[in-house]
């Protein structure tokens, strides 16, 4: 068991640590098949060895080459630390700055086996969301952070620590870019090769920016999504007895079971990986499990009749579950499901993110490693069956939405046959490129929330003390309740009330996994007020250590993603990434402790540009000023963009914000010309 002091002392070379290989009993990433040529294999090996001095290269070369052959990537298992990987209290890190210690706290939380999906492969969530590309990068980053001063900035290139560079106390201490590949080369095929070469990395969203807080974040988002889906599709507030069917119990999707219990409905969640299902059951996030479809349907009927609150995990493929629900409808006339979605890692469908219904889990993994082309064909056939079953149910009083995992996008691409006539029926007539037969949850459920400036704001208590989290929970609750008492619009009041309920439920359901963190959806005013209240509590000693503010990249301004976050922008700019890039730069200019910009995240590589930040509150007036400045920009940027694209709610919010802030002046759109004027102007 090494210490934090050892962990910060650089790569362990003399002696080299024992090569223990892959740990048994721990989930591991699927084998990758990058298809490297012999010359590219040599380049991958050369790139990995340049982290090490010549006297150990011969020994390491052989084992790195074996890793590349066996797993499709060089993870450097020999250098996986023996220390218990978790978020240690900030004062225990041997650093020269509190900012560096806070970043270390966040990195180690992302790699905590209780948090990370594949900890030994440095994957936090989503099947391929990397923190680093290999373990040498982890060791070097920790060493740099331990030495960093307030006049240096650490620069990260897709997991690789380029080094410490002179800067100023007001500059970010850390700047991260992940996957910044030239657009014409940002394809999945190229990505697999570039990742195998060790020169780029898929950071998902908060994996590569070190801001993941375990499944709590997606629990909250799913709670709000299901609540608002009930309001929109079913016209109800009380979801008792209503059934939500979905899939996935992994790093992100595992939150669905707990979210269903919090909102009070019945959820049936399919999962092919027994280890993931057992993990959620042991955590108490999943109430019951079964591998029998007969029992699943029987239990579902019973729960509906009694209006039980239930989360039931089905160990099997979700396509089998959907097809069984169709069978029940066609043979008995009984519709057993009200709401449905999907949270497989469909952004990565051909590398273990989605498993075909035709094969069992182990058999599918073997085929993925031995014959990726055949695996892909089976996945696409499975997607077509998946959609066919959903389409049949949707003819009744059943509502489905895409949860931003690229499910409908990949289903659309799943064409087959000599004339490509076999396809999933997901098209929407007379629609633009971002619209499908079923809406994304942004288009129908959450888009209006983003337009009002509400998004997933979060904080982490770096003391590691649950009491600090309890204090911040109370502060946030008081801020929102005071805002309601002072008077806000009905739509804003509803969101504030949902979040007050959430904070209370989160504490009751013990949602903390890993660091002492909390998430809630808040607008600009709420975020700033909560940040100021927490900073003052640190200054007074009510909170014992600094607090890191952050958010999911999936937010008002953080992400340009035409099939998710910006799917409800219809002026043609949904495929443009100015907002996310400007947000990254703007946060850096306004006081962020660290910033990150990523290619990929959510819907997959090449489909999205997104960014995030970390902001350290330490109780000083300077921290409060940074929070006010940066958080205001971090929200208003996206609201202004949505305003310009023609969203009336965003227009209203940005006008109100301009009235309250004399330093803000935004270009407002005029009324769009009448259709007749456009037709006349364009007449031949």
């Amino acid at each position: 068991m090494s210490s934090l002091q050892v962990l910060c002392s650089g790569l362990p070379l003399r002696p080299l640590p024992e090569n223990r290989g892959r740990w048994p009993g721990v989930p591991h990433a699927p084998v990758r098949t990058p298809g490297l040529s012999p010359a590219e294999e040599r380049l991958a090996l050369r790139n990995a060895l340049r982290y090490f001095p010549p006297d150990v290269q011969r020994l390491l070369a052989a084992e790195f080459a074996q890793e590349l052959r066996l797993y499709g990537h060089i993870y450097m298992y020999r250098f996986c630390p023996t220390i218990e990987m978790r978020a240690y209290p900030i004062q225990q890190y041997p650093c020269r700055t509190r900012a560096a210690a806070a970043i270390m706290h966040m990195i180690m939380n992302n790699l905590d086996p209780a948090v990370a999906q594949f900890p030994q492969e440095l994957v936090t969530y989503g099947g391929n969301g990397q923190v680093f590309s290999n373990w040498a990068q982890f060791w070097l980053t920790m060493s740099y952070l331990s030495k960093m001063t307030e006049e240096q900035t650490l620069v990260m290139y897709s997991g690789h620590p380029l080094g410490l560079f002179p800067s100023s106390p007001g500059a970010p201490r850390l700047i991260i870019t992940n996957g910044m590949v030239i657009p014409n080369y940002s394809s999945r095929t190229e990505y697999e090769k570039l990742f195998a070469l060790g020169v780029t990395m898929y950071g998902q969203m908060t994996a590569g920016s070190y801001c993941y807080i375990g499944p709590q974040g997606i629990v909250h988002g799913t709670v709000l999504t299901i609540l608002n889906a009930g309001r929109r599709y079913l016209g109800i507030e009380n979801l008792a007895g209503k059934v939500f069917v979905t899939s996935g119990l992994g790093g992100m999707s595992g939150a669905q079971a707990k979210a269903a219990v919090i909102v009070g409905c019945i959820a049936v969640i399919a999962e092919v990986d027994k280890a993931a299902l057992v993990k959620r059951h042991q955590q108490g996030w999943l109430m019951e499990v079964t591998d029998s479809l007969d029992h699943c349907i029987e239990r579902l009927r019973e729960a509906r009749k009694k209006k039980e609150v239930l989360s039931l995990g089905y160990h099997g493929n979700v396509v089998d579950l959907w097809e069984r629900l169709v069978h029940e409808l066609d043979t008995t006339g009984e519709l057993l499901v009200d709401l449905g979605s999907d949270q497989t890692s469909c952004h990565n469908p051909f590398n273990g993110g989605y498993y075909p219904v035709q094969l069992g889990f182990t058999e599918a993994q073997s085929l993925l490693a031995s014959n990726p082309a055949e695996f892909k064909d089976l996945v696409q056939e499975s997607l077509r069956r998946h959609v066919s079953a959903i389409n049949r149910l949707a003819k009744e009083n059943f509502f489905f939405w895409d949860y931003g995992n690229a499910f409908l996008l990949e289903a659309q691409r799943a064409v087959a046959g000599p004339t490509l006539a076999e396809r999933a029926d997901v098209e929407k007539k007379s629609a633009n490129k971002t619209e499908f037969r079923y809406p994304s949850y942004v288009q129908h459920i959450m888009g209006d929330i983003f337009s009002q400036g509400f998004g997933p704001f979060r904080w982490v208590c770096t003391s590691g003390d649950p009491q600090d989290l309890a204090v911040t929970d109370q502060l946030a609750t008081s801020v929102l309740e005071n805002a309601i008492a002072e008077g806000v619009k009905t739509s804003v009041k509803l969101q504030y009330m949902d979040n007050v309920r959430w904070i209370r439920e989160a504490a009751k359901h013990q949602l903390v996994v890993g660091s002492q963190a909390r998430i809630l959806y808040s607008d600009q005013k709420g975020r700033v007020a909560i940040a100021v209240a927490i900073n003052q509590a640190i200054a007074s000693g009510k909170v014992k250590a600094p607090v890191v503010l952050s958010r999911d990249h999936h937010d008002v301004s953080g992400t340009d993603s035409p099939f998710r976050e910006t799917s409800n922008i219809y002026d043609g700019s949904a495929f443009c990434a100015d907002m996310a890039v400007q947000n990254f730069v703007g946060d850096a200019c306004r006081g962020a402790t660290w910033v990150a910009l990523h290619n990929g995240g959510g819907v997959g590589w090449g489909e999205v540009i997104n960014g995030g930040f970390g902001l350290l509150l330490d109780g000083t007036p300077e921290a409060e000023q940074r929070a006010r400045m940066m958080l205001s920009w971090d929200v208003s940027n996206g609201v202004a963009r949505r305003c310009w694209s023609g969203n009336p709610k965003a227009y209203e919010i940005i006008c109100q914000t301009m009235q309250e802030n004399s330093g803000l002046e935004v270009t407002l759109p005029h009324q769009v010309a009448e259709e007749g004027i456009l037709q006349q102007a364009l007449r031949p």
Side-chain angles (χ1 to χ4, degrees):
M1 179 72 69
S2 60
S3 66
L4 289 174
Q5 191 71 47
V6 171
L7 204 63
C8 297
S9 60
L11 272 167
L13 298 173
R14 294 176 179 80
L16 288 171
E18 177 187 358
N19 184 10
R20 298 174 298 145
R22 280 191 165 195
W23 299 337
V26 173
H28 288 286
V31 173
R32 311 188 75 94
T33 52
L36 299 183
S37 68
E40 289 168 333
E41 288 179 345
R42 288 194 298 273
L43 183 57
L45 194 56
R46 180 184 297 276
N47 287 346
L49 289 172
R50 60 186 168 176
Y51 286 103
F52 303 93
D55 61 313
V56 298
Q57 287 182 2
R58 184 176 297 277
L59 172 65
L60 296 178
E63 65 189 54
F64 289 173
Q66 184 180 35
E67 284 185 24
L68 187 60
R69 285 192 296 268
L70 291 178
Y71 310 120
H73 189 73
I74 300 171
Y75 296 105
M76 306 182 184
Y77 289 116
R78 176 189 288 271
F79 295 94
C80 185
T82 57
I83 191 173
E84 180 186 358
M85 192 68 72
R86 61 181 177 86
Y88 289 84
I90 190 172
Q91 68 272 13
Q92 294 185 22
Y93 289 98
C95 292
R96 301 171 71 178
T97 70
R98 282 179 292 190
I103 295 166
M104 287 183 172
H105 180 94
M106 303 290 280
I107 288 173
M108 293 188 72
N109 184 69
N110 271 25
L111 294 170
D112 181 343
V115 174
Q117 186 178 12
F118 305 125
Q120 232 189 336
E121 287 77 42
L122 303 109
V123 172
T124 300
Y125 71 92
N128 60 351
Q130 302 285 147
V131 186
F132 300 98
S133 179
N134 59 59
W135 284 105
Q137 294 174 348
F138 167 82
W139 284 91
L140 290 172
T141 299
M142 297 295 279
S143 176
Y144 279 132
L145 288 169
S146 71
K147 295 183 287 189
M148 185 171 65
T149 72
E150 294 284 2
E151 295 185 340
Q152 289 176 304
T153 293
L154 176 59
V155 176
M156 301 293 298
Y157 280 13
S158 293
H160 169 67
L162 189 67
L164 292 170
F165 292 82
S167 61
S168 68
R173 299 278 68 79
L174 172 67
I175 296 179
I176 303 166
T177 52
N178 283 311
M180 292 292 106
V181 174
I182 305 301
N184 281 354
Y185 305 91
S186 189
S187 67
R188 282 183 181 155
T189 302
E190 287 294 333
Y191 166 72
E192 289 299 328
K193 288 193 174 188
L194 292 171
F195 180 60
L197 292 176
V199 295
T200 198
M201 187 180 88
Y202 185 73
Q204 264 286 359
M205 288 190 164
T206 52
S209 66
Y210 319 146
C211 292
Y212 190 63
I213 59 169
Q216 179 191 164
I218 191 64
V219 172
H220 183 36
T222 306
V223 163
L224 292 182
T225 300
I226 297 174
L227 279 176
N228 285 295
R231 290 165 180 156
R232 180 179 181 106
Y233 298 132
L234 306 178
I236 58 176
E237 289 284 340
N238 185 351
L239 287 165
K242 300 301 180 183
V243 177
F244 173 53
V245 171
T246 183
S247 57
L249 286 165
M252 291 284 280
S253 56
Q256 297 180 107
K258 180 62 78 173
V261 172
I262 291 174
V263 302
C265 72
I266 301 159
V268 183
I269 305 119
E271 173 56 63
V272 294
D273 184 354
K274 187 174 183 179
L277 187 141
V278 169
K279 179 178 180 178
R280 296 305 177 202
H281 190 226
Q282 290 176 343
Q283 284 178 334
W285 287 45
L286 189 62
M287 294 167 67
E288 299 178 18
V289 297
T290 182
D291 59 4
S292 164
L293 270 177
D294 288 340
H295 177 73
C296 189
I297 297 300
E298 178 186 343
R299 187 71 183 91
L300 179 53
R301 282 198 168 99
E302 180 185 16
R304 288 182 79 222
K305 184 177 181 180
K306 296 180 179 179
K307 293 190 174 181
E308 289 181 60
V309 175
L310 174 66
S311 58
L312 174 63
Y314 167 58
H315 180 215
N317 197 290
V318 73
V319 178
D320 285 327
L321 177 58
W322 284 119
E323 291 179 341
R324 177 60 181 269
L325 290 167
V326 169
H327 173 77
E328 295 297 321
L329 174 63
D330 289 342
T331 57
T332 71
E334 187 177 12
L335 179 67
L336 293 174
V337 56
D338 302 286
L339 301 171
S341 192
D342 184 87
Q343 272 202 42
T344 55
S345 294
C346 223
H347 67 276
N348 186 36
F350 312 125
N351 283 287
Y354 182 99
Y355 282 86
V357 65
Q358 305 92 327
L359 303 174
F361 182 60
T362 303
E363 188 181 5
Q365 284 191 315
S366 297
L367 182 64
L368 171 59
S370 63
N371 192 338
E374 184 180 349
F375 181 87
K376 179 179 179 179
D377 288 343
L378 291 179
V379 163
Q380 293 193 319
E381 180 187 335
S382 186
L383 283 165
R384 294 193 293 273
R385 285 174 56 181
H386 197 153
V387 168
S388 178
I390 290 168
N391 288 350
R392 170 65 187 95
L393 294 167
K395 293 179 180 178
E396 313 299 327
N397 193 34
F398 160 72
F399 302 92
F400 182 89
W401 67 87
D402 184 293
Y403 215 151
N405 62 336
F407 170 70
L408 292 178
L409 180 63
E410 288 303 328
Q412 181 189 52
R413 293 168 174 169
V415 294
T419 62
L420 301 181
E422 296 177 42
R423 60 180 63 241
D425 185 8
V426 295
E427 303 292 337
K428 180 180 179 181
K429 293 180 180 178
S430 302
N432 65 38
K433 290 191 291 185
T434 67
E435 293 181 291
F436 296 97
R437 179 172 183 163
Y438 305 103
S440 80
Y441 73 120
V442 172
Q443 288 169 327
H444 263 202
I445 302 171
M446 303 295 279
D448 279 348
I449 293 175
F450 281 173
S451 297
Q452 295 177 78
F454 281 88
F457 178 59
R458 59 182 59 167
W459 61 90
V460 177
C461 299
T462 64
S463 65
D465 187 345
Q467 182 57 35
D468 273 358
L469 184 59
V471 171
T472 58
D473 278 350
Q474 184 54 51
L475 290 170
T477 301
S478 296
V479 165
L480 299 182
E481 289 177 336
N482 290 341
I484 292 170
E486 291 171 4
V488 292
K489 292 191 310 176
T490 301
S491 58
V492 173
K493 179 180 178 180
L494 180 63
Q495 297 305 324
Y496 280 173
M497 290 174 64
D498 281 350
N499 280 282
V500 169
R501 171 185 173 183
W502 158 256
I503 293 174
R504 291 171 179 155
E505 291 288 334
K508 184 170 71 177
H509 286 272
Q510 300 179 336
L511 292 178
V512 169
V513 178
S515 58
Q516 293 294 317
R518 184 67 71 228
I519 185 172
L520 58 77
Y521 269 57
S522 186
D523 58 358
Q524 178 181 324
K525 284 185 176 179
R527 297 186 203 205
V528 172
I530 290 168
V532 170
I534 291 175
N535 195 59
Q536 290 173 351
I538 297 168
S540 68
K542 291 180 181 178
V543 173
K544 293 182 286 297
V547 170
V548 172
L549 300 182
S550 185
R551 59 162 169 75
D552 197 342
H553 297 197
H554 163 68
D555 195 18
V556 181
S557 308
T559 298
D560 281 297
S561 179
F563 296 101
R564 197 164 84 171
E565 284 82 357
T566 48
S567 61
N568 65 336
I569 288 178
Y570 303 113
D571 68 350
S573 70
F575 292 88
C576 302
D578 300 83
M579 179 178 71
V581 175
Q582 287 281 0
N583 219 68
F584 163 80
V585 176
D587 285 351
C589 294
R590 290 171 174 84
T593 307
W594 73 94
V595 289
L597 186 67
H598 296 186
N599 171 8
V603 295
W605 180 264
E607 306 284 359
V608 50
I609 297 294
N610 64 88
F613 72 87
L615 176 61
L616 188 69
L617 297 178
D618 59 7
T620 62
E622 292 78 11
E624 178 177 324
Q625 177 61 25
R626 287 194 295 269
R628 288 183 183 276
M629 182 73 70
M630 201 221 75
L631 293 175
S632 295
W633 156 256
D634 195 66
V635 176
S636 60
N637 172 35
V639 177
R641 188 267 179 93
R642 286 169 166 79
C643 165
W644 183 248
S645 72
N647 185 289
K649 290 189 176 180
Y651 185 98
E652 183 181 347
I653 293 294
I654 206 68
C655 287
Q656 180 183 338
T657 306
M658 282 197 292
Q659 289 176 358
E660 297 167 353
N661 185 345
S662 61
L664 177 66
E665 187 173 346
V666 171
T667 305
L668 299 174
H670 291 287
Q671 181 72 34
V672 176
E674 293 180 8
E675 188 64 28
I677 296 175
L678 303 180
Q679 290 178 353
Q680 182 177 357
L682 295 171
R683 189 174 296 156

